[in-house]
Amino acid sequence: EATFGYAAIELIGQPVDVLLPAAIRSAHGQRRTDYMKSPVARQMGQGGVLYAQTKQGTQIPVDVRLSPIQTSTGDWVVGAVRNISKQLATVNALRASVAEHTAIFESASIGIVQLKHRIIVRANARCHEMLGYAQGELIGQSTQVWYPQEQDYGRIGDEAYPAIWGGETSTGERLFRRKDGRTIWVRTSHRAIDASEPALGSVVMLQDVTAEREAAAAITLANQEQSAILDTATCGVALIRDRIFVRCNRRLHDMFGWDEGQMIGQPTAIWYPDQASNDRAKALYDTIWQGEHASLELELMRRDGGRFWARLTGNAVDVHTPSKGTVWIVDDITDEREMTVALQDAKEAAEAAT
């Protein structure tokens, strides 16, 4: 009654075909006749899903088991019918979940590998591509094929697995060997599926960071070269953001009487002997943010309070992005000014004598 919606008495005397969808009733009669010629206990619908029809006409998936019995009144077949709608929904949901995870696994932009006892049991397309193998070629291989040297395999295992089986994630950047022998840098993230069940294995995420490391190395080299240039320059050079020193070369520190690095993070106000001088320098920014270079000769102040004349020349790093700051060249022109004054005095003295 609960399965088909019939009262028990309603089905008495009815052919079993009444419980089948109309589309298969005619064919079912012949199958039933064939079965009765040699009845054996079995489950119907093996390899597929059977559907029955309720009194209301709704089709439902069912599990049917047939058991022939012999009695004094003749041969009978007992059929056990079970509604498997919930079970089928669970199976379908599980299949959908597996399909979804498989799609994610195979379309991931990083390599994903499942290991058991350091043997590759599953690896996605990106992993194979990254290491130069045909799809599926890594399956069954030891992770030893990843490493340029045999000792690397042992060392990394000794480093990583105690943490992994302790429930931690082991991370690092390591040199891997591709199938063609070329080496690449790979960032790894390795974790046990269940730290309490080592037999389940572990999962490793692999990301090729060769280009990233090469770019970082190039930036480091460029910075080193730039530092060498700045530190050998005969003029002071400063990178300033919001009128705060971000970077200053050695010559600038010497010029102002500060130990190297001590000016970093300080306001530019430490240069100026008074507010009027500070305001004059500040006014140069109006010119700079219009895309022009600005220059000013001004008396500045050393750390010990001594003063000297300097020529300030400033340019924007990027006129459209003030947050990137400005670069300033500072030349000590004290001797130049003294010479100019001396020449002017000599000229005036010569003119007075004539």
Side-chain angles (χ1 to χ4, degrees), residues 236-240 245-249 252 271 326-330:
V237 183
L239 172 62
I240 296 172
F245 295 111
V246 176
R247 190 173 182 184
C248 305
N249 71 343
L252 191 72
W271 277 1
T326 53
V327 174
W328 293 83
I329 305 298
V330 182

Side-chain angles (χ1 to χ4, degrees), residues 231-289:
D231 287 341
T232 56
T234 57
C235 59
V237 183
L239 172 62
I240 296 172
R241 294 191 187 121
D242 297 322
R243 305 200 77 191
I244 300 294
F245 295 111
V246 176
R247 190 173 182 184
C248 305
N249 71 343
R250 183 181 297 124
R251 173 59 182 142
L252 191 72
H253 283 87
D254 291 343
M255 191 182 299
F256 284 88
W258 293 80
D259 291 334
E260 188 171 357
Q262 286 189 332
M263 292 176 68
I264 307 302
Q266 297 210 52
T268 56
I270 62 173
W271 277 1
Y272 306 109
D274 50 51
Q275 188 60 45
S277 298
N278 194 349
D279 291 341
R280 287 186 66 193
K282 183 178 180 181
L284 295 178
Y285 283 93
D286 293 335
T287 302
I288 289 172
W289 298 128

Side-chain angles (χ1 to χ4, degrees), residues 113 115 118-120 141-147 153 161 176:
V113 183
L115 304 176
R118 305 192 77 180
I119 300 297
I120 301 168
Q141 295 207 53
S142 165
T143 55
Q144 189 168 347
V145 301
W146 288 351
Y147 304 110
Y153 173 76
Y161 278 92
F176 272 46

Side-chain angles (χ1 to χ4, degrees), residues 34-112:
D34 293 342
Y35 174 77
M36 291 305 297
K37 292 177 181 178
S38 180
V40 292
R42 67 183 178 90
Q43 178 177 344
M44 294 184 64
Q46 292 181 352
V49 178
L50 293 178
Y51 285 88
Q53 183 170 294
T54 67
K55 182 179 180 180
Q56 293 75 25
T58 303
Q59 291 190 19
I60 58 172
V62 292
D63 175 67
V64 181
R65 296 178 184 273
L66 302 179
S67 299
I69 59 173
Q70 294 179 334
T71 70
S72 58
T73 60
D75 295 336
W76 296 83
V77 176
V78 175
V81 182
R82 180 168 58 99
N83 185 346
I84 59 169
S85 297
K86 291 183 179 180
Q87 294 91 325
L88 190 60
T90 300
V91 170
N92 288 338
L94 181 59
R95 286 175 179 166
S97 179
V98 170
E100 180 179 312
H101 281 82
T102 299
I104 294 171
F105 181 82
E106 291 299 342
S107 62
S109 60
I110 61 173
I112 306 175

